[in-house]
């Protein structure tokens, strides 16, 4: 019966589901309720420094238990628009099970679409989150070298929490972990937590480095040639690690992000050919047609519905790059976020994940 109602709703009202059609009314009783989303309540907000905040959320009970290292899409209504950004969960399963909360460590960008508004969050505010996503996780029974850059420390904080909680009486007693953490001088995050981990776990150690004082990372990698490497941080850091790993045949798992040059909003820009990576497919696209149209022409399997930006069936994660909204001409930033293929044009090379 639900399938029939949903089909009728989609055809007549351009909504994906019957429940979604009644969303505004349901929200009168359940703030931030949205079909196919999970709700989470803000329980704490803390500034770690001028440009970094810690957001503690209490997800509704049916939200799936995450694994340390996974990320979520956070969706917030800003000036009547839903803004979605991707953030790594900065705590392990242990905190979720014992306290019923998760935390996000977020760097605030003055020109960002979402992060400048986080300062307006108050205790009790409701937001939307996606199910936990990603497969960046601590391997079992192996010595590990963690390499973090800037805010890339967040998945490792989650892994260390669960590592400590699960260590007693397990095979993990023999697993050694070393962390190399790069950041600008005096900008390393949550050093107190890292120190506490080290004090309670003889098998964990860490180094705080900055490129200004300590140079590039290559000289610090050689002594860890028998470990499994994990890197999270800027693409430049990942490249340096990956090149060294290839030379000495070391396995590397990574989560990295790319900084793109500033772009101006110019809807009359000359036609360009850009590269789009969509899951395992790589294709060349134009900046003058929507991504959905071009993916369909290339016979790339994608989900879609109305084609007008209403039903959200063609949503996917933009892992990196900048897109232009064809309805408003607005450019996204280069961070991970949910986009709609039917109303997005490529403004730079892109990496997409369905």
């Amino acid at each position: 019966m639900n399938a029939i109602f949903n089909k009728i709703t989609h055809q007549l009202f351009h909504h994906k589901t019957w429940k979604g059609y009644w969303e505004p009314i349901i929200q009168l009783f359940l703030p931030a309720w949205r079909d196919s989303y999970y709700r989470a309540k803000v329980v704490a907000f803390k500034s770690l420094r001028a440009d970094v905040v810690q957001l503690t959320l209490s997800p509704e009970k049916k939200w799936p238990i995450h694994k340390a290292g996974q990320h979520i899409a956070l969706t917030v209504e800003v000036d009547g628009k839903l803004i979605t950004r991707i953030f790594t969960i900065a705590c392990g399963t242990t905190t979720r099970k014992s306290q019923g909360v998760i935390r996000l460590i977020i760097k605030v960008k003055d020109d960002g679409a979402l992060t400048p508004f986080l300062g307006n969050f108050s205790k009790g505010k409701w937001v939307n989150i996606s199910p936990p996503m990603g497969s960046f996780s601590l391997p079992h029974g192996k010595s590990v070298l963690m390499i973090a850059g800037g805010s890339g420390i967040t998945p490792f904080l989650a892994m260390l929490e669960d590592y400590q909680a699960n260590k007693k009486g397990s095979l993990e007693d023999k697993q050694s972990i070393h962390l190399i953490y790069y950041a600008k001088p005096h900008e390393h995050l949550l050093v107190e937590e890292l120190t506490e981990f080290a004090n309670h776990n003889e098998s964990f150690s860490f180094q705080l480095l900055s490129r200004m004082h300590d140079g590039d990372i290559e000289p610090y990698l050689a002594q860890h040639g028998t470990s499994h490497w994990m890197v999270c941080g800027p693409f430049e850091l990942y490249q340096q690690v990956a090149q060294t790993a290839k030379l000495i045949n070391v396995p590397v798992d990574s989560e990295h992000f790319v900084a793109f040059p500033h772009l101006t909003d110019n809807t009359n820009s000359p036609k360009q050919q850009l590269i789009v990576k969509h899951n395992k497919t790589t294709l060349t696209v134009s900046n003058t047609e929507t991504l959905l149209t071009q993916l369909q022409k290339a016979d790339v399997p994608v989900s879609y519905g109305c084609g007008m930006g209403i039903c959200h069936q063609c949503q996917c994660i933009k892992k990196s790059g900048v897109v232009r909204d064809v309805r408003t001409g607005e450019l996204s930033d280069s961070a991970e976020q949910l986009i709609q293929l039917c109303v997005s044009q490529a403004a730079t090379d892109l990496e997409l994940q369905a």
Side-chain angles (χ1 to χ4, degrees):
M1 186 63 71
N2 282 338
I4 296 175
F5 276 121
N6 291 341
K7 186 174 182 179
I8 294 173
T9 303
H10 174 62
Q11 291 178 342
L12 296 181
F13 306 113
H14 302 292
H15 277 266
K16 187 176 181 179
T17 65
W18 173 247
K19 289 191 294 183
Y21 179 70
W22 295 102
E23 189 173 283
I25 296 176
I26 297 175
Q27 287 176 354
L28 295 175
F29 306 95
L30 296 173
W33 184 93
R34 291 182 175 87
D35 188 31
S36 302
Y37 288 75
Y38 292 95
R39 298 198 311 151
K41 181 184 286 188
V42 176
V43 296
F45 180 91
K46 179 182 178 182
S47 292
L48 300 183
R49 64 173 195 238
D51 62 340
V52 178
V53 298
Q54 176 176 284
L55 188 64
T56 305
L57 302 174
S58 176
E60 57 183 317
K61 290 184 178 180
K62 65 179 181 179
W63 187 71
I65 296 293
H66 73 285
K67 295 180 180 179
Q70 289 189 304
H71 54 269
I72 58 169
L74 172 68
T75 300
V76 179
E77 186 171 341
V78 177
D79 296 331
K81 294 171 58 178
L82 292 180
I83 305 295
T84 301
R85 291 294 182 269
I86 309 295
F87 300 106
T88 300
I89 303 168
C91 66
T93 304
T94 307
T95 294
R96 165 67 171 152
K97 289 182 176 179
S98 63
Q99 302 178 34
V101 299
I102 59 174
R103 70 169 178 174
L104 306 177
I105 307 297
I106 301 173
K107 186 168 184 179
V108 178
K109 298 180 180 179
D110 292 338
D111 58 350
L114 172 60
T115 56
F117 298 92
L118 295 178
N120 298 326
F121 278 20
S122 57
K123 186 176 179 180
K125 178 180 176 63
W126 288 93
V127 297
N128 297 116
I129 58 175
S130 71
M133 301 176 286
S135 56
F136 190 58
S137 60
L138 187 68
H140 295 290
K142 300 178 182 178
S143 296
V144 173
L145 174 65
M146 297 175 170
I147 304 158
S151 58
I153 190 63
T154 50
F156 298 133
L157 290 171
M159 293 176 196
L160 290 170
E161 176 189 307
D162 283 353
Y163 167 79
Q164 179 173 305
N166 298 328
K167 189 179 175 208
K168 290 185 178 180
S170 74
L171 295 177
E172 301 301 315
D173 286 338
K174 298 181 180 179
Q175 183 178 26
S176 65
I177 299 176
H178 183 70
L179 167 68
I180 298 176
Y181 182 14
Y182 265 89
K184 294 179 181 179
H186 311 297
E187 292 192 6
H188 294 85
L189 296 170
L190 299 168
V191 177
E192 298 84 0
E193 290 189 20
L194 295 175
T195 302
E196 186 175 348
F197 282 128
N199 290 338
H200 287 85
N201 297 276
E202 294 181 358
S203 54
F204 171 68
S205 56
F206 68 97
Q207 294 171 273
L208 303 180
L209 304 178
S210 67
R211 185 164 280 111
M212 180 183 299
H213 295 149
D214 304 294
D216 289 335
I217 193 171
E218 287 92 339
Y220 301 94
L221 298 174
Q223 59 183 304
H224 301 283
T226 59
S227 297
H228 186 104
W229 294 3
M230 306 182 72
V231 57
C232 184
F235 186 63
E236 182 182 1
L237 177 65
Y238 163 74
Q239 280 186 311
Q240 293 174 352
V241 173
Q243 288 170 0
T244 304
K246 187 176 181 180
L247 288 174
I248 61 177
N249 195 30
V250 172
V252 180
D253 294 333
S254 70
E255 290 273 312
H256 52 270
F257 39 89
V258 181
F260 279 81
H262 178 69
L263 297 174
T264 57
D265 184 5
N266 180 10
T267 55
N268 295 316
S269 60
K271 187 173 182 178
Q272 292 178 283
Q273 296 297 310
L274 302 164
I275 302 299
V276 171
K277 294 181 180 180
H278 181 272
N279 294 340
K280 297 181 180 180
T281 303
T282 300
L283 66 154
T284 302
V285 301
S286 167
N287 64 333
T288 60
E289 293 185 86
T290 67
L291 291 168
L292 178 60
T293 297
Q294 295 181 85
L295 289 170
Q296 289 175 320
K297 287 180 180 178
D299 293 325
V300 176
V302 289
S303 299
Y304 66 95
C306 66
M308 298 183 294
I310 298 173
C311 72
H312 296 272
Q313 290 193 48
C314 65
Q315 263 187 354
C316 73
I317 297 175
K318 174 178 68 65
K319 297 283 289 182
S320 64
V322 178
V323 296
R324 177 178 287 109
D325 190 314
V326 299
R327 299 165 296 184
T328 64
E330 291 182 2
L331 291 166
S332 72
D333 57 30
S334 59
E336 289 192 8
Q337 67 183 101
L338 284 176
I339 65 168
Q340 292 173 259
L341 296 172
C342 67
V343 292
S344 298
Q345 294 173 335
T348 68
D349 294 342
L350 300 170
E351 182 180 354
L352 307 176
Q353 178 182 304

